[in-house]
Amino acid sequence: KRSSGHLVEYDYAFDVGEETQLDTVSLSYGASHPMLKGGTIVSCMLESIYAYGSIHAREGAVVDPSEKLRKRNILRHLPAVDFTAGVQNMFIPKSSVSYLDDGNTRSIPEMDGGRLMIRVLGGLDESMLNNNVSSSHIVKEGIKVVADFGVTTFASKNESNLNEFPE
């Protein structure tokens, strides 16, 4: 039996207001493929990035520093969380030089109207829920991650080298 003198009670809270937003972020990825004699570069714009919600310790959270760490004990230390983040518009700029080249085929990607929303829920009961969460989304023990992603238009133009025309 554990001695209650070794237990440490902890508490924390982190809140992000609904007005938190970034206007635009540009992401670029590039790589060379020397064995394939090709390369890749893709640039993507993310517009209207938002985040809101809260993360806090569950009520009565305690830890026993002398206790051996085990994976099955992690659920006791997961936070109570209701946090949402997302991007309202993602696209590959028409002026970018985005391409994927494997040395034989060159693909030029086009994307417009992308969106992404990620919501993390866990450790909540009915009294902690805000108005836009139904009781079917309650996660008391673990953490649930819900993601929604969509793209209005995605296309790829392909150009291939033909060294000989087949007869």
Side-chain angles (χ1 to χ4, degrees):
K1 187 174 178 176
R2 287 184 251 178
S3 167
S4 62
H6 292 279
L7 299 179
V8 176
E9 189 172 342
Y10 62 93
D11 190 20
Y12 58 87
F14 180 70
D15 291 315
V16 177
E18 289 192 30
E19 68 281 353
T20 304
Q21 183 172 336
L22 283 173
D23 289 333
T24 305
V25 172
S26 173
L27 298 175
S28 295
Y29 167 79
S32 64
H33 313 301
M35 296 202 51
L36 298 173
K37 297 180 182 163
T40 297
I41 186 164
V42 177
S43 297
C44 184
M45 299 294 289
L46 310 176
E47 291 183 330
S48 299
I49 301 167
Y50 62 92
Y52 59 89
S54 65
I55 300 171
H56 52 88
R58 295 181 188 218
E59 191 173 319
V62 294
V63 65
D64 183 352
S66 64
E67 181 179 51
K68 187 175 182 180
L69 295 175
R70 296 178 192 258
K71 289 181 186 177
R72 67 177 176 239
N73 295 337
I74 197 165
L75 287 177
R76 292 187 301 181
H77 303 294
L78 290 176
V81 59
D82 182 359
F83 199 83
T84 302
V87 180
Q88 291 180 348
N89 188 29
M90 294 182 283
F91 63 95
I92 296 175
K94 303 244 187 261
S95 61
S96 75
V97 291
S98 296
Y99 68 89
L100 295 92
D101 189 350
D102 66 3
N104 196 27
T105 303
R106 183 179 181 104
S107 300
I108 301 167
E110 296 175 359
M111 182 180 76
D112 198 24
R115 62 174 167 61
L116 170 68
M117 185 276 304
I118 297 174
R119 183 154 191 198
V120 182
L121 289 166
L124 305 172
D125 60 29
E126 286 85 0
S127 67
M128 302 168 138
L129 295 176
N130 57 26
N131 295 336
N132 59 354
V133 178
S134 71
S135 60
S136 65
H137 289 110
I138 295 174
V139 179
K140 291 183 180 179
E141 292 300 317
I143 291 181
K144 178 192 272 186
V145 178
V146 179
D148 182 24
F149 174 76
V151 175
T152 303
T153 306
F154 184 80
S156 179
K157 295 180 183 175
N158 296 317
E159 303 168 355
S160 294
N161 294 331
L162 290 174
N163 297 332
E164 293 183 26
F165 192 76
E167 295 182 24

